[in-house]
Amino acid sequence: VRRLPRVVQLLVLGSFINKVGTFILPYLALVLSREFGLAPRPVAAILAAYGVGTLFSILAGGILTDRLGRRRTLLTSLLGSGALAVAMAASPSLPVFVALLLALGFLADLYRPAASALIGDALPSAQRAVGFGALRMAVNLGFACGMALGGMVADWSWRALFLGDGLTPLLFGLLVY
């Protein structure tokens, strides 16, 4: 990673930071059932809606990356999803929580095509495999650390899960800025 350009190093670091704070998804079903008292069927529907939002997010992220540029798309996704997750921590009711969650499903992965395009722009073809490998390693390592940390936070407070998950993309957004 040290041999990669600074922009790729920051992207890898930011992706790690972002994924360390991935607390919402692994524990979302528990929060919806335990804290909001939902039955399994509505929980499954909400999780599916989040997933559909993510699917469209990646497609829209590619379009926005081409039209707005890498940096603007990264900032839109990271700052927007961070703000939504923080707002979810303070959500006063289930309808507000679900509305914010659906918006989060769209914004959270909007950055992924921009990150990939950035690696393609910054690295010559001979180094792209290393760049994509470093990014994938950062994401996987961050997610693994985040799962363990999220489990500890979940026992303490579900709202802290969402606050922590919101702060990490905001930190990544600061790196991008």
Side-chain angles (χ1 to χ4, degrees), residues 127-153:
Q127 284 187 308
R128 285 187 189 138
V130 173
F132 283 114
L135 182 63
R136 197 73 222 146
M137 180 192 66
V139 166
N140 289 338
L141 186 59
F143 190 77
C145 294
M147 288 286 291
L149 185 58
M152 291 185 287
V153 173

Side-chain angles (χ1 to χ4, degrees), residues 77-141:
S77 175
L78 297 169
L79 299 178
S81 65
L84 286 171
V86 169
M88 289 173 73
S91 179
S93 66
L94 180 62
V96 171
F97 181 87
V98 171
L100 292 170
L101 178 66
L102 296 178
L104 178 68
F106 180 75
L107 279 178
D109 283 334
L110 201 64
Y111 82 94
R112 289 173 61 183
S116 295
L118 191 59
I119 287 178
D121 293 345
L123 297 174
S125 60
Q127 284 187 308
R128 285 187 189 138
V130 173
F132 283 114
L135 182 63
R136 197 73 222 146
M137 180 192 66
V139 166
N140 289 338
L141 186 59

